[in-house]
Amino acid sequence: MNRDTVIGFVLIALVLIGFSWYNQPSAEQIEAQRKEDSIAAVIKENAQKQQADEAARKARADEAAKNDSTSLFYSALSGQNSDVVLKNDKVELTFSTKGGTLSKAVVKGFADKDGNPDVTLFDAKDQRMNFLLAGKQDNIITQELFFTPSNQSDSTVTMTAQATGGGSIVLDYKLGPDHMLHFSLTANGLSGIFAPTYKEMDIEWSDHTRQQEKGFYFENRYTGLFYKEANDGSTDNLSETADKRETIDEQLDWVAFRNQFFSVALVSKDNFAGGAQLSSVQDQKETGYLKQFDARLKTAFDPTGRQPSEFEMYIGPNDFRLIQDVAKQSTFGKDLDLEQLVNLGWWIFRLINRWFTLYVFEWLSSFGMSMGIVLILITLLLKALTYPMVKKQYMSSAKMRVLKPKLDEATRQYDKPEDQMKKQQAMMQMYSQYGVSPLSGCLPMLIQMPIWIAMFWFVPNAIQLRGQSFLWMEDLATYDPIVSWNTHIWGIGDHLSLSCLLFCGSNILYSWFTMRQQKDQMVGAQAEQMKMMQWMMYLMPLMFFFMFNDYSSGLNFYYFISLLFSSIIMFVLRKTTDDDKLLAILEARYKENKANPKKQSGLAARLEAMQKQAEELQRQRQQHK
């Protein structure tokens, strides 16, 4: 190991230590984080206490109601709980007569992580929906009532809770042909028990979201509580990485509990009123659950019974096209924009995925090929589309490479630190005379980056990859362990993902090609700086390993193939480029430009102007001394 290498390692260590010291939190930041952690702990504690208090309150209310023969719904406070099932080819929904609401949802055609043919999104112990109506004397809480089913078929059921005086609460359900459930709540013959100004009812909706995929941490990143503001407003969500509780002032079209590949969304025809209280609390890996979601909502209620409170629920996969089609079945006349539940990335990357990647993916998938082959073909297509830019980027570097000996000779006289501006100006002057722009290779790379990042969002959220195997990868939607163990190791987890190792290996290979090419074109101090950059570039794959070891094998495989093809393209371009011929072309251009000095590039002219300004400033300082 030579002296330069040792110095390089020491400098890297100093940079990392200095960077860590510089970025360590201040006392104020530590206190802010402590408060945030305390708030998160309080939120979780309050949620648990709230559940316990709710259970105790229900028990007391049930016991008190049984002994109170004057209760308006005395006859509906006791009974035998039974299940009513609505089903079609896509979903199977179970409703409990105790409470009259949905207690279990099964999405058909998607195997769960335990090998069962269908996915159970929730059952009675996970999910609860409760409608609360505040009367002048009695409060009506639907979860405390027993409902009688009628008008029952595979797609319809009417749940009725009969009041003592002849009135009733009616929940009417109708299941559409696929994933949309339509239902309404009506209070018949009960107008006298409500205040004349009573126009809103409360809804309590909660869900203990199950872990559906093998990778807990990866799935948890894409699990969150989403909502859409009414009147063509935007879609937003609570934090997916921390405990959070928010009160939303705006009216809402819908609220949704979403995990990586499945969602349950509740839509109100008359909007949810401002002041909705939403909360999301993280769960631990060992529990088998991801998050606890709670939504306390208000919506319009007509105590006369003439106008029902109408709702719709989407219960199904996060499939962009499917959600678009199902949303058209809504009878509320709103632009629900439920496809926002499919995470296609931030706005610029979402545009790329929405109007390019999605169409290409659907077109290739229509041929019935393996999803792994589809990923390879997408990679090849993107490489073909970006090849002209890649070649332009490479040729820019190649021109600078063949000019390096001339640049070394022309700038040898500018070795002093105070001559660096002159050296830079001389280099740019030569580049201009030879018709070479050192920045021309940057733009193609910048154009490619949004596509590369867009795939980071698209692949993990493509439900078409879920459960699909390819080569050694059993499921392209989750990690592919080559080695697993029981203890969780910080930064690594409990496994080594083969596709991640291949991705990091191809990254090293591509970095080697790139650094070698850049090294061949660097002049003077730039070459020394390149040594440091080289080690940093080789450390990047190690950083990617810690980031991507838990990511889906489909994403890692795409990046592996992409970088492998990029390395092959770089190798082929290097082998097919005739440096002598390229230099001859540049020499001919140099002679042409030398005969016409006005062709000097704008960048070189600006650098020359900057140099003159610097020299003038230095001259003025010397005069003042």
Side-chain angles (χ1 to χ4, degrees):
M1 184 178 293
N2 59 32
R3 184 186 62 179
D4 292 341
T5 303
V6 173
I7 293 174
F9 274 118
V10 171
L11 289 175
I12 290 174
L14 290 175
V15 169
L16 292 176
I17 293 171
F19 183 79
S20 300
W21 175 83
Y22 179 78
N23 285 278
Q24 65 180 350
S26 63
E28 293 80 5
Q29 291 173 322
I30 293 174
E31 179 64 18
Q33 182 62 45
R34 186 189 67 78
K35 290 181 179 180
E36 185 175 336
D37 292 341
S38 299
I39 292 172
V42 170
I43 290 176
K44 183 173 289 188
E45 182 180 348
N46 287 344
Q48 294 172 347
K49 184 176 182 298
Q50 182 180 343
Q51 291 177 352
D53 291 345
E54 182 69 18
R57 184 189 67 78
K58 285 185 177 182
R60 291 193 300 269
D62 288 345
E63 186 63 27
K66 290 177 183 177
N67 298 320
D68 182 9
S69 59
T70 63
S71 173
L72 178 65
F73 281 88
Y74 174 75
S75 60
L77 291 172
S78 60
Q80 185 67 38
N81 185 27
S82 60
D83 293 334
V84 177
V85 177
L86 304 185
K87 59 184 179 181
N88 55 29
D89 294 337
K90 306 296 183 180
V91 294
E92 182 175 300
L93 307 179
T94 301
F95 298 83
S96 296
T97 56
K98 175 65 182 297
T101 55
L102 183 63
S103 60
K104 183 178 180 180
V106 176
V107 180
K108 299 179 180 180
F110 295 90
D112 66 11
K113 62 184 177 63
D114 299 319
N116 299 312
D118 302 318
V119 169
T120 299
L121 297 187
F122 57 80
D123 57 20
K125 70 178 183 297
D126 303 327
Q127 195 263 172
R128 181 177 67 91
M129 184 175 291
N130 191 17
F131 299 94
L132 301 95
L133 306 172
K136 289 184 289 188
Q137 294 181 345
D138 290 337
N139 292 330
I140 303 172
I141 303 173
T142 58
Q143 281 294 314
E144 299 176 355
L145 306 179
F146 284 87
F147 288 75
T148 302
S150 61
N151 188 31
Q152 188 175 346
S153 68
D154 282 346
S155 61
T156 62
V157 65
T158 299
M159 295 281 198
T160 304
Q162 200 68 43
T164 304
S168 62
I169 297 292
V170 178
L171 287 163
D172 195 40
Y173 295 95
K174 181 180 180 181
L175 178 62
D178 35 49
H179 297 276
M180 186 71 85
L181 174 69
H182 309 263
F183 70 99
S184 63
L185 183 147
T186 308
N188 293 324
L190 299 176
S191 58
I193 73 168
F194 299 107
T197 58
Y198 186 67
K199 300 296 182 183
E200 287 184 339
M201 68 174 173
D202 292 89
I203 303 172
E204 296 176 345
W205 184 33
S206 63
D207 180 42
H208 206 183
T209 305
R210 294 184 176 188
Q211 179 185 345
Q212 301 290 354
E213 314 304 325
K214 181 171 64 176
F216 172 84
Y217 297 105
F218 187 65
E219 183 182 6
N220 201 39
R221 289 186 185 100
Y222 297 96
T223 299
L225 192 157
F226 283 68
Y227 56 89
K228 179 183 177 294
E229 296 176 4
N231 303 317
D232 297 327
S234 60
T235 302
D236 206 345
N237 63 286
L238 302 188
S239 171
E240 296 164 299
T241 58
D243 295 348
K244 194 71 174 179
R245 174 171 292 172
E246 287 188 15
T247 299
I248 311 301
D249 295 329
E250 295 80 7
Q251 292 189 11
L252 303 178
D253 277 333
W254 51 261
V255 174
F257 302 153
R258 188 202 78 177
N259 67 5
Q260 185 179 2
F261 291 119
F262 301 94
S263 292
V264 181
L266 178 64
V267 185
S268 173
K269 180 178 181 180
D270 299 307
N271 303 336
F272 295 114
Q277 299 177 24
L278 310 177
S279 69
S280 171
V281 179
Q282 302 274 339
D283 266 300
Q284 299 299 316
K285 179 180 180 181
E286 298 75 17
T287 64
Y289 292 91
L290 300 168
K291 293 180 174 74
Q292 172 68 48
F293 294 135
D294 288 282
R296 293 178 176 269
L297 312 165
K298 290 180 180 293
T299 193
F301 171 71
D302 181 6
T304 68
R306 289 190 293 266
Q307 186 68 37
S309 299
E310 297 186 59
F311 305 91
E312 292 172 338
M313 290 186 78
Y314 173 79
I315 305 166
N318 298 333
D319 184 316
F320 192 92
R321 298 298 185 201
L322 174 64
I323 294 178
Q324 276 189 323
D325 293 339
V326 171
K328 294 176 183 177
Q329 301 171 17
S330 173
T331 60
F332 295 166
K334 296 182 177 183
D335 181 12
L336 296 179
D337 207 18
L338 281 170
E339 59 269 20
Q340 292 285 342
L341 291 171
V342 182
N343 191 350
L344 296 180
W346 302 326
W347 71 271
I348 186 170
F349 308 121
R350 185 175 183 86
L351 288 175
I352 294 172
N353 285 327
R354 170 68 180 85
W355 299 107
F356 174 75
T357 313
L358 191 62
Y359 282 99
V360 173
F361 184 82
E362 291 171 342
W363 174 63
L364 292 174
S365 301
S366 66
F367 294 101
M369 295 178 290
S370 165
M371 287 296 111
I373 299 296
V374 169
L375 288 176
I376 293 174
L377 292 177
I378 288 178
T379 307
L380 288 173
L381 178 60
L382 291 175
K383 292 302 175 186
L385 291 174
T386 57
Y387 176 76
M389 293 181 287
V390 172
K391 185 176 181 180
K392 182 178 180 181
Q393 177 184 351
Y394 173 82
M395 292 307 297
S396 175
S397 299
K399 291 174 184 178
M400 296 170 68
R401 183 182 71 243
V402 298
L403 288 176
K404 182 178 182 296
K406 294 182 177 295
L407 287 170
D408 287 335
E409 182 65 28
T411 59
R412 187 169 296 169
Q413 57 182 314
Y414 304 116
D415 289 335
K416 296 180 181 179
E418 61 269 21
D419 293 335
Q420 290 304 305
M421 179 66 75
K422 294 181 179 180
K423 182 175 183 177
Q424 191 70 20
Q425 198 277 335
M427 290 172 56
M428 297 307 299
Q429 181 69 23
M430 285 194 67
Y431 282 143
S432 178
Q433 291 172 343
Y434 280 94
V436 175
S437 173
L439 299 181
S440 63
C442 298
L443 183 59
M445 182 175 63
L446 293 176
I447 293 175
Q448 295 177 73
M449 282 303 294
I451 298 176
W452 213 69
I453 298 175
M455 294 299 290
F456 173 84
W457 295 98
F458 181 83
V459 174
N461 291 286
I463 194 171
Q464 293 84 353
L465 300 180
R466 185 180 183 273
Q468 297 296 311
S469 62
F470 184 68
L471 299 178
W472 70 90
M473 296 168 284
E474 295 181 358
D475 187 350
L476 290 170
T478 188
Y479 60 82
D480 54 323
I482 188 174
V483 178
S484 300
W485 52 87
N486 294 326
T487 304
H488 181 83
I489 300 176
W490 182 87
I492 298 178
D494 57 4
H495 66 275
L496 291 178
S497 174
L498 178 56
S499 61
C500 181
L501 293 174
L502 291 173
F503 160 43
C504 294
S506 63
N507 201 348
I508 292 174
L509 179 63
Y510 181 72
S511 297
W512 181 78
F513 274 116
T514 303
M515 299 303 294
R516 181 182 177 184
Q517 180 167 309
Q518 292 179 350
K519 181 180 179 181
D520 292 341
Q521 68 189 45
M522 295 300 175
V523 179
Q526 291 179 335
E528 294 300 320
Q529 295 171 2
M530 198 63 197
K531 294 178 181 179
M532 175 68 72
M533 183 64 68
Q534 180 177 348
W535 288 109
M536 295 299 291
M537 290 294 290
Y538 287 148
L539 286 174
M540 285 297 291
L542 180 61
M543 297 173 59
F544 281 135
F545 168 76
F546 290 112
M547 292 173 58
F548 284 83
N549 188 49
D550 200 43
Y551 272 56
S552 70
S553 58
L555 181 63
N556 280 319
F557 180 71
Y558 165 76
Y559 282 152
F560 161 60
I561 294 296
S562 179
L563 287 170
L564 181 62
F565 285 155
S566 295
S567 300
I568 294 173
I569 291 172
M570 195 75 68
F571 176 79
V572 171
L573 286 173
R574 183 68 178 89
K575 289 299 182 181
T576 56
T577 300
D578 188 332
D579 287 0
D580 294 335
K581 185 177 180 180
L582 181 59
L583 181 59
I585 294 174
L586 293 176
E587 290 288 1
R589 189 176 298 169
Y590 171 78
K591 293 178 181 179
E592 179 184 349
N593 290 339
K594 190 173 183 181
N596 186 9
K598 293 183 178 180
K599 282 191 172 184
Q600 178 173 277
S601 70
L603 180 60
R606 286 193 296 272
L607 284 173
E608 185 176 359
M610 290 171 61
Q611 179 194 0
K612 291 180 178 179
Q613 289 177 356
E615 291 174 349
E616 178 64 22
L617 182 61
Q618 185 176 2
R619 186 184 63 80
Q620 292 176 0
R621 288 176 177 174
Q622 290 176 350
Q623 289 178 349
H624 288 298
K625 288 182 179 180

